[in-house]
Amino acid sequence: MPLDKFGIAKRIARELRDGYYVNLGIGIPTLVANYIPEGIDVILQSENGLLGMGPFPVESEVDPDLINAGKQTVTTLKGSSLFSSADSFAMIRGGHVDLTVLGAMEVAENGDIANWKIPGKMVKGMGGAMDLVAATDNIIVAMMQTNPKGESKLLPACTLPITGKGCIDRVVTDLGYYEIKDGAFHLLEIAQGVTVEEIKAKTLGKLVISDNLKVME
Amino acid sequence: MNKVVKNAGEAVKDIPDNAVLMLGGFGLCGIPENCITALIKKGVKGLTCISNNAGVDEFGIGLMLKTRQVKKMISSYVGENAEFERQLLSGELEVELIPQGTLAERIRAGGAGIPLFATPTGYGTEVAEGKETRQMHGKMYVMEEWLKADFAIVKAWKGDTLGNLVYKGTARNFNPMMATAGKITIAEVEELVEPGQLDPNMIHTPGIYVQRIFKGENYEKRIEQRTVSKS
């Protein structure tokens, strides 16, 4: 069985290390916060100006002056800090954020990512995505391996306008865990019940099956 | 020295048609609600608005779009707004999209007197087209210019009559940089106090950047995504 979005989030959560400062994008990446392993402390960064993002508030705690980058109401925690957008992106661009998890429409075998624009459709803007992918070395893409039409999102080259060049080195999809290196998607882990044939059929970019291929826990 | 003006109407009264404005806020959080209302009442037109977002249909900058007062938006993300989309597709509205961190830094640079800087953001993408790029320390960077405004309009939590400002929560966002980058900076605050009543250690925006300040009224503080947990 391929993973659902919760399964993808759970797998990515296992990449968290104690003491990490982490930026989670909107969608599946947000769910990673629900699966932080026991004994690991991570601090969540929200690029609109909050370090130490807490859970959603209960009704009586809702504060319109306290939101996350998805414009949802959130809370602070003991030890949280607040700052401007310039400070926030200084943290990001300056390499102080340890891990970024974000979604994508396409990822290419050279590490290019596209997730902000579909030509001919309404363009909403890139928000902070271009800054995040340009800055951090440690980026994980969380996404379904195919689009709603069933077409592979792991490609030889991005067909959509890119968000960043050669910046992605890890992708977790509903089917597997890939490392991008030497111009190929290296399948390191496969989701339980998924076959290598299915992976091959749904990967248009260059695929290398690891000699140590593991079944995802 | 008298920076205190009576209200939003007085604060914006000399903003002319075709002015370049900066408006603070992220989504609807920390937006200068009173000044937006006053600009609509004044009916000033042809505005260029530099703001991270463009409001929603019924609130924030979205209201100024409805009245066709905005010629151009400079933003990082402009979703959640059907009227915006209509004007953009019909060619009535110009839009320049800038990565959020680059937008913040260009504004900061404008206020800090730095006309050009190098950033890795957007290298190899559409955003870098037509811009100078440069290799430094083995990595490629895009050269980006400062942004300045005729009027910067910011919203703070507390301010004193000398223009010192304190923001609350994530309503800070773009407000502090914008306050530095306006030829005239207008601050609207929820609480206006006398000098000495704000702790100097806690000031976010020093008063030197602020030319006009007033106590705003009837803040609605709409929430775009009210998200609550049960327990």
Side-chain angles (χ1 to χ4, degrees), chain A residues 143-153 173-175 202:
Chain A
M143 65 178 194
M144 295 296 169
Q145 187 148 335
T146 54
N147 64 23
K149 288 187 207 155
E151 298 159 341
S152 174
K153 293 162 74 173
T173 75
D174 49 331
L175 305 183
K202 292 180 175 171

Side-chain angles (χ1 to χ4, degrees), chain A residues 109-121:
Chain A
E109 63 192 28
N110 65 354
D112 288 0
I113 176 171
N115 67 355
W116 78 282
K117 183 177 186 181
I118 302 175
K121 288 204 179 167

Side-chain angles (χ1 to χ4, degrees), chain A residues 56-59 63-67 71-73 82 85-86 89 93 117 122 124-127 131 134 162-163, chain B residues 53 76-78 85 100-102 119 121 124 126 139 168-170 172-174 221 225-229 231:
Chain A
F56 297 132
V58 296
E59 191 63 45
D63 178 357
D65 290 328
L66 198 59
I67 62 170
K71 285 130 190 167
Q72 295 169 311
T73 43
L82 295 153
S85 302
F89 283 94
R93 222 187 287 102
K117 183 177 186 181
M122 173 59 189
K124 293 186 171 183
M126 66 294 280
D131 305 279
I162 64 170
T163 312
Chain B
N53 311 93
S76 87
Y77 187 82
V78 293
E85 188 170 343
Q100 198 171 126
T102 299
T119 176
T121 303
E126 290 186 358
K139 190 167 171 172
K168 178 169 162 274
T170 55
R172 192 179 322 181
N173 55 63
F174 281 80
K221 296 194 183 181
Q225 307 284 340
R226 176 181 285 267
T227 316
V228 294
S229 53
S231 55

Side-chain angles (χ1 to χ4, degrees), chain A:
Chain A
M1 272 260 292
L3 302 173
D4 60 9
K5 60 184 182 176
F6 302 102
I8 295 173
K10 237 183 229 178
R11 176 61 194 86
I12 291 172
R14 285 177 34 220
E15 302 294 300
L16 300 171
R17 298 291 172 266
D18 194 40
Y20 265 14
Y21 288 87
V22 181
N23 183 292
L24 300 176
I26 294 164
I28 300 173
T30 305
L31 300 173
V32 173
N34 301 334
Y35 301 104
I36 298 169
E38 190 109 357
I40 285 188
D41 283 326
V42 300
I43 294 181
L44 300 179
Q45 202 248 17
S46 187
E47 65 263 28
N48 57 320
L50 169 60
L51 257 185
M53 181 168 50
F56 297 132
V58 296
E59 191 63 45
S60 63
E61 292 173 337
V62 167
D63 178 357
D65 290 328
L66 198 59
I67 62 170
N68 64 16
K71 285 130 190 167
Q72 295 169 311
T73 43
V74 290
T75 52
T76 53
L77 299 167
K78 284 178 185 167
S80 291
S81 57
L82 295 153
F83 37 86
S84 72
S85 302
D87 286 328
S88 179
F89 283 94
M91 289 173 199
I92 291 166
R93 222 187 287 102
H96 307 281
V97 173
D98 298 297
L99 175 68
T100 291
V101 183
L102 77 177
M105 298 192 249
E106 296 178 345
V107 178
E109 63 192 28
N110 65 354
D112 288 0
I113 176 171
N115 67 355
W116 78 282
K117 183 177 186 181
I118 302 175
K121 288 204 179 167
M122 173 59 189
V123 177
K124 293 186 171 183
M126 66 294 280
M130 281 196 182
D131 305 279
L132 283 159
V133 299
T136 323
D137 286 329
N138 202 359
I139 304 173
I140 302 176
V141 167
M143 65 178 194
M144 295 296 169
Q145 187 148 335
T146 54
N147 64 23
K149 288 187 207 155
E151 298 159 341
S152 174
K153 293 162 74 173
L154 300 180
L155 301 175
C158 289
T159 64
L160 297 169
I162 64 170
T163 312
K165 215 174 161 44
C167 48
I168 305 301
D169 54 13
R170 278 180 289 171
V171 182
V172 179
T173 75
D174 49 331
L175 305 183
Y177 177 114
Y178 304 84
E179 197 177 293
I180 301 177
K181 60 177 184 191
D182 310 324
F185 296 99
H186 293 252
L187 179 70
L188 303 185
E189 294 179 22
I190 189 165
Q192 282 183 26
V194 171
T195 62
V196 170
E197 282 61 43
E198 182 175 4
I199 297 264
K200 282 181 179 164
K202 292 180 175 171
T203 307
L204 270 186
K206 193 171 175 211
L207 178 68
V208 176
I209 312 289
S210 167
D211 295 336
N212 289 319
L213 182 64
K214 289 183 187 140
V215 175
M216 212 178 272
E217 285 172 39

